[in-house]
Amino acid sequence: MGKVIAIANQKGGVGKTTTAINLSTSLALNKQKVLIIDIDPQGNATNGFGIEQNNLEKTIYEALIDKIQLEDTILPTEIDNLELVPSNINLVGAEIELVNLDGREKILKNKLEMIKNNFDFIIIDCPPSLGLLTVNALTASDSVIIPVQCEYYALEGLSKLLNTIHMVRKSLNSKLTVEGVLLTMFDSRLRLSNQVAQEVWNLFGDKAFKTVINRNVRLSEAPSHGKPIALYDPTSIGCRNYLELSKELLKRNNIET
């Protein structure tokens, strides 16, 4: 049965979508069968694979609200072993529409049950908020990866996310764990980056990934070309970082590469 991992942090600009796209790609390159679910109304993960949002008839929105099957929304990507459930701007209204539905926090979980066995990993790219879409993602997930940028106020608001995870674990999904805290936008030349990294490693211990994602121009350019970094620039440090992260994740889950 596939492991479901949410990439979550209610702060914007911490590398959530970059991580969702490139970790999914790196896992697929490591011979894992992977599904990435874009549950952010901005649809950045969808764009990041070069898929035009505006022409889509079946997205995560239709699966959540119109009760079509999740498998009917799945699209291929350029990467072997990697498929995508896309999102677009229609998802903006989903938070309001979900409020009146029975079992609203578990809709995504119930949809996923039917296809979970078809994948080794399912990665969910969450919106930058702690609303009903993120709660659905956390309720459906086995674990959470929390990206933290190596900048001022990096840990600000993290207690809210950890509190939300605790509440979901208490009332909706007792098996939810923190897979790991991931340092992003790291620059070893900067004292601040090293200070934030040390603080995260001290606070989270084994729950913090040893792999860090370095600040990398090629990594930031790749989404505008509709490609994961492994296709845009496979020799870049960003590509190497995410391949290392995928191997660390597989090792944590006792999967040989």
Side-chain angles (χ1 to χ4, degrees):
M1 184 177 284
K3 181 164 193 177
V4 184
I5 303 175
I7 314 286
N9 189 331
Q10 75 273 25
K11 283 185 77 173
V14 298
K16 271 193 307 294
T17 299
T18 299
T19 295
I21 290 172
N22 294 300
L23 176 58
S24 299
T25 299
S26 298
L27 287 168
L29 293 173
N30 274 299
K31 305 288 190 294
Q32 303 299 304
K33 190 159 173 50
V34 185
L35 176 68
I36 176 170
I37 298 176
D38 187 353
I39 201 169
D40 184 348
Q42 295 174 82
N44 290 334
T46 302
N47 285 340
F49 284 102
I51 292 164
E52 176 51 55
Q53 296 180 15
N54 299 331
N55 302 329
L56 296 171
E57 292 181 9
K58 295 177 180 176
T59 68
I60 186 67
Y61 172 80
E62 281 74 27
L64 293 173
I65 303 298
D66 294 344
K67 299 188 170 58
I68 67 167
Q69 297 306 315
L70 203 55
E71 64 185 334
D72 294 333
T73 70
I74 295 175
L75 299 175
T77 71
E78 289 184 77
I79 305 285
D80 288 342
N81 295 320
L82 177 59
E83 295 178 299
L84 166 76
V85 172
S87 170
N88 62 19
I89 198 66
N90 290 344
L91 195 57
V92 166
E95 297 260 3
I96 298 164
E97 293 174 70
L98 285 169
V99 166
N100 297 319
L101 299 181
D102 290 336
R104 56 186 178 267
E105 300 93 348
K106 295 187 176 181
I107 291 173
L108 181 60
K109 179 184 176 72
N110 294 336
K111 297 277 181 179
L112 270 178
E113 290 300 325
M114 301 177 194
I115 61 167
K116 224 176 166 183
N117 290 338
N118 301 340
F119 299 93
D120 298 307
F121 286 93
I122 297 169
I123 306 292
I124 307 175
D125 184 29
C126 295
S129 73
L130 295 178
L132 210 37
L133 291 173
T134 297
V135 169
N136 256 270
L138 294 174
T139 303
S141 296
D142 299 300
S143 64
V144 194
I145 290 175
I146 306 169
V148 172
Q149 84 281 29
C150 295
E151 295 175 357
Y152 281 116
Y153 309 122
L155 302 177
E156 190 180 67
L158 207 54
S159 59
K160 284 183 185 174
L161 174 59
L162 293 171
N163 190 45
T164 300
I165 290 169
H166 175 71
M167 285 166 58
V168 168
R169 188 187 293 134
K170 195 173 175 183
S171 56
L172 295 164
N173 179 8
S174 60
K175 295 178 182 176
L176 183 65
T177 62
V178 174
E179 186 77 39
V181 176
L182 175 67
L183 289 160
T184 63
M185 305 175 201
F186 180 77
D187 186 339
S188 60
R189 299 166 301 177
L190 299 179
R191 183 186 296 175
L192 177 62
S193 270
N194 289 292
Q195 285 173 341
V196 171
Q198 201 53 60
E199 192 173 354
V200 166
W201 286 325
N202 289 343
L203 269 175
F204 293 98
D206 290 344
K207 284 294 182 187
F209 286 104
K210 291 184 175 68
T211 304
V212 299
I213 308 302
N214 289 274
R215 190 177 287 282
N216 179 241
V217 173
R218 304 297 276 171
L219 197 55
S220 3
E221 288 173 352
S224 64
H225 294 268
K227 292 182 182 296
I229 191 63
L231 291 182
Y232 181 64
D233 187 350
T235 63
S236 67
I237 192 167
C239 185
R240 291 203 304 274
N241 288 162
Y242 277 107
L243 284 168
E244 285 167 17
L245 177 65
S246 67
K247 286 175 181 172
E248 185 175 352
L249 179 65
L250 291 170
K251 190 177 178 184
R252 284 186 178 206
N253 286 275
N254 301 311
I255 299 169
E256 289 186 19
T257 57

